[in-house]
């Protein structure tokens, strides 16, 4: 008996954001979540383009062929996003995560880039099938922070790989087996970025609609601070069935009608935009002026100059991008804010100091934060970097105080012993005229209060 998927999906704006930049696509052979980013720079457009390319690649594929198809679709999405940015530079900065799977009736082909996630729930145990391409995930992998701490980390939104037109951003690709009874969960970080895996695991038993509602409720309980997109699918015995559906931003945009002049996608319910008269376009195209043949010299110049201009333009765009980045690092012995990126290119530095805090030495920070600063600590903006700098300054001051107290402990005074009274006999007259000898009881010597000799334990932070 062949295996098949039974699935449900949901995508919403959440409780805080103004628009939904997530997109999703579901079919009997493909499940995909794309989380757009870029804010005003059209994250909704980026996720919609990603879903459009993956939807076009859906079909009957098997085994390693599924991986090749997914990789090709993601490459096509990156190229399309690059073309849109070229057509409209205002879109520079947009990108999208992709986490999805193709299914051939036996195995899943997983593709992941960014921080959306795929899970498998089997026999009451939840297993993460993908790895986040994020800054906080690298800290978790190194054992510096826990999964729970990652949810609260100030740089949890810093993603290291996305689909944004850059060729070096490549997805993770993997084949994995499935079995009857497996439950698959694919979601954007509107759920997994705010709810721990343990809490998600505890809500996965039950029928699909109830579980889907429970997962949405978890995201809302944590504030619904981001768009929420969830796909829930069960592996069953049977024939493939189920509707093909596009959700989120991709459902609101006309994926078949890119307007190359603006780089935008019109919404499905938008009024048609004015388009040039086709006849007028043909007249311009075939006019004598337009058809004037270029001289051989001009052609040679174009062949030489255009690649140089493309390289120069790409270099300038890359440099402009680097100069919108900030990070904290060490400027000699002091804490400093840098603009740019820490890694040089062709031995050329791409960062410079914009602020040095001469009151805060790196060596005065807790050891954990020393490692963070020496390895460079990224910030989303200059204001965010200043906020982090203020926090580190307070931690350094606290460490200085702790070290001072350890090196200069307050002495505990030792009480002076009271002298003992010697046991001499004294004669005291009695009414009968005789003297009785009374022996004085010795006064006990007070036991000195011992000084606490325990060595102060070093702080867990400093």
């Amino acid at each position: 008996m062949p295996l098949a998927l039974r699935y449900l999906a949901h995508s919403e704006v959440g409780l805080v954001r103004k628009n939904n930049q997530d997109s999703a696509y579901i079919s009997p052979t493909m499940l995909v979540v794309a989380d757009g980013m870029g804010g005003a720079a059209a994250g909704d457009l980026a996720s919609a383009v990603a879903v459009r390319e993956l939807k076009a690649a859906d079909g009957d594929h098997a085994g390693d062929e599924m991986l090749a198809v997914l990789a090709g679709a993601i490459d096509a999405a990156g190229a399309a996003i690059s073309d849109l940015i070229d057509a409209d530079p205002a879109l520079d900065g947009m990108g999208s995560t992709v986490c999805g799977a193709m299914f051939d009736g036996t195995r899943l082909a997983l593709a992941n880039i960014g921080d959306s996630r795929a899970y498998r729930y089997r026999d009451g145990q939840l297993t993460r099938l993908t790895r986040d391409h994020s800054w906080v995930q690298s800290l978790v992998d190194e054992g510096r922070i826990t999964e729970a701490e990652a949810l609260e980390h100030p740089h949890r939104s810093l993603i290291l790989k996305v689909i944004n037109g850059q060729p070096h951003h490549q997805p993770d690709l993997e084949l994995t087996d499935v079995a009857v009874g497996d439950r698959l969960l694919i979601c954007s970080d509107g759920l997994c970025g705010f709810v721990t895996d343990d809490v998600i695991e505890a809500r996965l038993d039950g029928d699909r609609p109830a579980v889907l509602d429970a997962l949405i409720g978890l995201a809302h309980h944590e504030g619904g601070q981001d768009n929420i997109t969830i796909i829930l699918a069960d592996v069953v015995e049977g024939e493939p069935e189920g509707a093909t559906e596009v959700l989120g931003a991709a459902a609101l945009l006309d994926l078949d009608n890119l307007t190359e002049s603006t780089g935008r996608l019109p919404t499905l319910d938008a009024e048609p935009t004015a388009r040039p008269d086709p006849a007028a376009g043909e007249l311009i195209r075939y006019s004598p002026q337009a058809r004037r043949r270029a001289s051989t010299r001009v052609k040679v110049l174009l062949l030489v100059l255009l690649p140089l201009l493309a390289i120069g333009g790409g270099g300038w765009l890359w440099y402009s991008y680097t100069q919108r980045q900030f990070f904290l690092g060490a400027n000699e012995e002091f804490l400093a804010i840098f603009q740019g990126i820490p890694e040089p290119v062709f031995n050329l530095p791409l960062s410079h100091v914009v602020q040095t805090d001469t009151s805060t030495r790196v060596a005065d920070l807790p050891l954990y934060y020393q490692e963070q600063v020496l390895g460079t600590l990224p910030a989303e903006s200059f204001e965010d970097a200043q906020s982090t700098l203020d926090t580190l300054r307070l931690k350094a001051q606290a460490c200085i105080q702790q070290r001072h107290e350890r090196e200069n402990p307050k002495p505990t005074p030792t009480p002076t012993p009271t002298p003992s009274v010697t046991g001499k006999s004294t004669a005291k007259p009695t009414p009968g005229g005789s003297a009785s000898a009374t022996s004085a009881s010795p006064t006990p010597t007070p036991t000195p209060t011992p000084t606490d000799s325990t060595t102060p334990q070093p702080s867990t932070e400093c």
Side-chain angles (χ1 to χ4, degrees):
M1 179 71 70
L3 301 182
L5 299 176
R6 301 290 184 264
Y7 47 84
L8 287 174
H10 174 84
S11 185
E12 65 169 66
V13 69
L15 304 179
V16 176
R17 298 293 179 89
K18 294 182 178 179
N19 69 323
N20 192 356
Q21 298 195 9
D22 286 0
S23 294
Y25 171 70
I26 53 175
S27 80
T29 53
M30 182 180 283
L31 309 171
V32 173
V33 167
D35 181 356
M37 62 202 65
D44 55 343
L45 175 59
S47 71
V49 168
V51 160
R52 182 193 67 176
E53 299 299 330
L54 286 157
K55 179 176 181 290
D58 192 12
D60 293 328
H61 307 285
D64 291 335
E65 181 189 0
M66 295 190 294
L67 297 178
V69 169
L70 288 170
I74 290 174
D75 283 346
I81 288 174
S82 179
D83 290 343
L84 290 172
I85 294 172
D86 289 343
D88 185 357
L91 300 177
D92 187 19
M94 75 173 181
S96 179
T97 72
V98 161
C99 185
M102 290 192 77
F103 183 59
D104 64 0
T106 304
R107 291 183 292 179
L108 285 176
L110 293 168
N112 179 64
I113 182 168
D115 64 349
S116 297
R117 290 183 188 168
Y119 296 89
R120 181 184 62 213
Y121 184 63
R122 175 185 290 175
D123 298 329
Q125 183 174 0
L126 185 66
T127 301
R128 195 184 302 180
L129 300 177
T130 56
R131 178 184 177 276
D132 295 353
H133 300 134
S134 65
W135 170 257
V136 294
Q137 185 62 52
S138 67
L139 300 181
V140 172
D141 293 344
E142 294 169 6
R144 297 187 179 188
I145 62 175
T146 65
E147 291 281 358
E149 290 171 336
L151 301 184
E152 304 294 333
H153 198 281
H155 304 298
R156 64 182 179 275
S157 60
L158 182 59
I159 304 177
L160 304 180
K161 290 171 63 176
V162 293
I163 302 176
N164 64 351
Q166 298 297 324
H168 59 279
H169 287 189
Q170 295 297 316
D172 294 338
L173 301 167
E174 181 182 3
L175 282 174
T176 185
D177 292 327
V178 293
V180 173
D182 285 353
R183 174 161 284 178
L184 305 174
L185 168 65
I186 303 176
C187 61
S188 65
D189 65 342
L191 173 65
C192 59
F194 298 91
V195 183
T196 64
D197 289 2
D198 290 342
V199 174
I200 292 174
E201 180 182 77
R203 299 295 194 280
L204 286 178
D205 278 325
D207 65 321
R208 284 191 304 278
V211 171
L212 183 61
D213 288 342
L215 295 176
I216 297 168
L218 287 176
H220 287 171
H221 183 267
E222 295 301 325
Q225 300 176 49
D226 202 350
N227 305 146
I228 304 163
T229 300
I230 301 170
I231 298 175
L232 200 63
D234 291 338
V235 180
V236 301
E237 288 185 337
E239 295 297 329
E241 64 179 54
T244 296
E245 186 178 357
V246 176
L247 300 92
L252 301 175
L253 299 174
D254 185 356
L255 302 183
D256 297 325
N257 292 293
L258 280 170
T259 53
E260 297 178 358
S261 61
T262 64
R264 294 297 301 180
L265 284 167
T267 59
L268 290 174
D269 56 357
E271 291 295 328
T273 56
R275 294 182 180 274
D277 180 5
E282 291 297 293
L283 287 174
I284 294 173
R285 179 180 176 186
Y286 291 109
S287 66
Q289 186 176 23
R291 289 177 58 85
R292 187 163 43 203
R293 299 174 63 90
S295 67
T296 303
R297 181 177 299 176
V298 171
K299 289 181 179 180
V300 171
L301 286 174
L302 289 176
L303 288 173
V304 173
L305 290 177
L306 286 178
L308 293 176
L309 289 173
I311 294 171
W316 172 250
L317 288 175
W318 168 246
Y319 179 76
S320 298
Y321 165 79
T322 66
Q323 297 311 296
R324 294 196 298 271
Q325 311 303 306
F326 294 89
F327 64 91
L328 282 85
N331 183 17
E332 296 182 352
E333 61 178 318
F334 299 108
L335 194 59
I337 297 175
F338 292 77
Q339 182 177 8
I341 59 175
E343 298 84 5
V345 175
F346 302 120
N347 294 323
L348 297 176
L350 291 177
S351 64
H352 60 277
V353 177
V354 294
Q355 181 179 335
T356 300
D357 183 358
T358 56
S359 66
T360 306
R361 297 188 311 141
V362 175
D364 290 330
L365 290 169
L367 294 178
Y368 168 78
Y369 289 99
Q370 287 185 37
E371 294 177 1
Q372 294 289 297
V373 169
L374 293 175
T376 69
L377 189 62
E380 296 180 354
S381 64
F382 180 66
E383 291 74 17
D384 183 51
Q386 287 183 312
S387 176
T388 304
L389 180 63
D390 293 339
T391 300
L392 294 179
R393 184 185 301 114
L394 294 176
K395 291 186 178 294
Q397 292 171 355
C399 272
I400 292 172
Q401 180 65 25
Q402 289 179 26
R403 291 166 185 155
H404 177 77
E405 292 174 356
R406 289 201 299 267
E407 294 169 0
N408 301 279
K410 295 181 180 180
T412 303
T414 303
T416 304
T418 304
S420 301
V421 178
T422 58
K424 294 182 179 179
S425 298
T426 56
K428 182 177 181 181
T430 62
S434 64
S436 65
T438 303
S439 178
S441 300
T443 303
T445 303
T447 303
T449 303
T451 303
D452 185 4
S453 60
T454 304
T455 303
Q457 297 299 313
S459 166
T460 57
E461 288 194 21
C462 304

